[in-house]
């Protein structure tokens, strides 16, 4: 299998999302502590665990897409949308004072980098270059 930068990015994104999702499911209180959230109600741990389920299933989709990014281009589009939405949401919550830079900054930066990386590596159709007197399939017949 050819290891293109897009395949590597999809596989890396899948691995990170899977690990983060598993952590959110198995240890939500530690995640709350790591992001400097204190004294949250127990119900928040349930919501964090559900978020972990979403990340694990998303990781499976990215892992499949890593096998053939052109065939599974919709997953690249999902990666772009996900990163952009995470960046925008983090910025809005930061601007509103709901979270602090230490809580949201890393996520905003990573989401921005992922979005840009997916945009740069987005699979494009190869361009066909035609020369005068020839078509892409062979010589042009004379009249």
């Amino acid at each position: 299998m050819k290891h293109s930068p897009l395949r590597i990015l999809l596989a890396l994104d899948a691995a990170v999302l899977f690990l983060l999702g598993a952590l959110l499911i198995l240890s939500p209180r530690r995640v709350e502590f790591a992001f400097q959230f204190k004294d949250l109600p127990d119900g928040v741990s349930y919501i964090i665990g559900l978020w972990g389920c979403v990340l694990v299933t998303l990781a499976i989709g990215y892992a499949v897409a890593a096998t053939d990014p052109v065939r599974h281009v919709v997953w690249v589009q999902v990666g772009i949308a996900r990163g952009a939405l995470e960046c925008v949401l983090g910025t809005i919550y930061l601007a509103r004072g709901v979270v602090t830079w230490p809580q949201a900054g890393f996520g905003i930066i990573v989401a921005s980098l992922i979005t840009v990386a997916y945009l740069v590596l987005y699979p494009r159709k190869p361009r066909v270059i035609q020369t005068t007197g020839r078509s892409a399939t062979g010589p042009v017949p004379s009249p």
Side-chain angles (χ1 to χ4, degrees), residues 88-105 108:
V88 168
L89 182 71
T91 302
I92 289 170
Y93 272 65
L94 185 62
R96 291 178 56 206
V98 176
V99 295
T100 63
W101 180 254
Q103 292 171 319
I108 292 169

Side-chain angles (χ1 to χ4, degrees), residues 39-125:
D39 303 321
L40 296 175
D42 289 337
V44 173
S45 293
Y46 171 70
I47 293 170
I48 290 172
L50 289 176
W51 178 32
C53 293
V54 171
L55 293 181
V56 167
T57 55
L58 193 59
I60 294 167
Y62 285 131
V64 170
T67 63
D68 187 352
V70 174
R71 181 174 179 208
H72 302 288
V73 71
V74 71
W75 282 101
V76 178
Q77 295 164 349
V78 167
I80 293 167
R82 186 197 91 227
L85 286 171
E86 287 176 9
C87 184
V88 168
L89 182 71
T91 302
I92 289 170
Y93 272 65
L94 185 62
R96 291 178 56 206
V98 176
V99 295
T100 63
W101 180 254
Q103 292 171 319
F106 181 75
I108 292 169
I109 291 168
V110 170
S112 299
L113 292 173
I114 288 288
T115 303
V116 169
Y118 277 127
L119 286 168
V120 168
L121 299 174
Y122 191 84
R124 289 164 177 72
K125 293 179 183 176

Side-chain angles (χ1 to χ4, degrees), residues 19-28 31 45 48-53 55:
L19 291 173
L20 182 57
L23 184 63
L24 294 176
I25 293 167
L26 300 173
S27 190
V31 173
S45 293
I48 290 172
L50 289 176
W51 178 32
C53 293
L55 293 181

